[in-house]
Amino acid sequence: MTRRGLLIILSSPSGAGKSTLAQRLLAWDDTMQFSVSATTRAARPGEQEGREYYFRSRSQFEEMIRADEMLEHAEVFGNLYGSPRAPVEEAINAGRDVIFDIDWQGGQQIKGSALADDVVSIFLLPPSIAALESRLRSRAQDSDEVIAGRMVKSRDEISHWAEYDYCLVNRDLDATEAELRAILTAERLRRSRRPDLVPFVRDLNQEFEERGT
């Protein structure tokens, strides 16, 4: 292993392109993986344990919280959702990057965890509020009422942009993907993330000694 893996937090208001860009990053580097959340909601047709979610009862989930086995968690519409710690630690210890598609609250919990030093947090902004609403409507998935609710929530999400390490304006998917790749490439090369450099420099110094330099 030449480095420890990154814990990549990717956040944005709904409709700003977060999920699309996360999938592009996974296609760009197939050693990366997506963090699979645990939930107390029932599995839907076609969903598989460990692929879409880890399905747990409420008592099991609450026990995981008490045992500090969750990096972050929240209750949404009566169901608990969260990120189990063990699979993430296993991945980053093996040098694999893990992408989290979570909101600012989940991001804050992870930044306050024991894995804070591994975090790279990125917030995606829409080019305009009009463009954000247009993207939500172009999905043709939600009613006007649901879209209005998402727009209200978007204002709260955007208010937390300054809490992130990086903030990108997603005007164009290709350009934003290139910026994300540049960020991850640079973060992977940080000296603090490269345990291989210490023995390498030691060998260089040994060469100096052998040459009498």
Side-chain angles (χ1 to χ4, degrees):
M1 187 184 71
T2 58
R3 67 176 178 87
R4 185 172 167 84
L6 300 174
L7 200 162
I8 304 159
I9 296 173
L10 198 58
S11 301
S12 77
S14 182
K18 172 180 56 179
S19 297
T20 299
L21 286 163
Q23 292 301 322
R24 285 190 175 207
L25 288 177
L26 291 170
W28 167 58
D29 183 348
D30 61 9
T31 67
M32 301 173 72
Q33 66 186 63
F34 203 79
S35 174
V36 178
S37 297
T39 182
T40 58
R41 77 160 173 79
R44 294 168 182 163
E47 291 183 333
Q48 294 181 17
E49 167 72 14
R51 187 179 68 183
E52 282 78 18
Y53 287 98
Y54 298 109
F55 297 99
R56 299 291 182 264
S57 67
R58 178 170 283 268
S59 62
Q60 288 174 324
F61 197 109
E62 291 173 344
E63 178 56 34
M64 292 176 74
I65 295 173
R66 285 192 293 270
D68 196 28
E69 294 176 4
M70 287 291 185
L71 285 172
E72 56 84 27
H73 65 275
E75 185 159 359
V76 182
F77 301 123
N79 289 304
L80 293 169
Y81 294 83
S83 303
R85 176 191 299 272
V88 176
E89 289 186 328
E90 180 182 354
I92 62 177
N93 286 337
R96 298 193 302 274
D97 300 334
V98 183
I99 300 177
F100 286 75
D101 178 350
I102 54 177
D103 66 10
W104 66 271
Q105 292 170 308
Q108 282 189 342
Q109 290 183 56
I110 291 177
K111 285 182 178 180
S113 75
L115 301 182
D117 290 344
D118 302 305
V119 170
V120 177
S121 60
I122 306 166
F123 195 89
L124 300 173
L125 288 168
S128 69
I129 300 306
L132 183 66
E133 183 173 6
S134 176
R135 289 175 183 176
L136 288 173
R137 293 191 180 281
S138 68
R139 295 176 178 180
Q141 294 177 341
D142 301 317
S143 65
D144 289 345
E145 182 180 5
V146 170
I147 290 174
R150 292 188 186 278
M151 293 301 294
V152 170
K153 185 177 180 182
S154 293
R155 184 168 189 171
D156 178 57
E157 289 280 348
I158 289 173
S159 72
H160 295 275
W161 69 275
E163 298 166 15
Y164 287 72
D165 298 323
Y166 300 90
C167 190
L168 305 178
V169 180
N170 184 23
R171 295 185 177 90
D172 175 82
L173 280 171
D174 290 339
T176 305
E177 180 187 356
E179 290 173 338
L180 285 170
R181 291 187 187 186
I183 289 169
L184 298 184
T185 299
E187 288 288 346
R188 289 169 170 179
L189 292 172
R190 277 186 182 270
R191 179 180 54 79
S192 60
R193 304 190 197 280
R194 296 283 306 280
D196 62 310
L197 289 177
V198 172
F200 181 78
V201 173
R202 187 185 302 122
D203 288 345
L204 291 179
N205 286 324
Q206 181 63 35
E207 285 191 62
F208 277 128
E209 294 294 329
E210 292 170 355
R211 293 164 59 95
T213 305

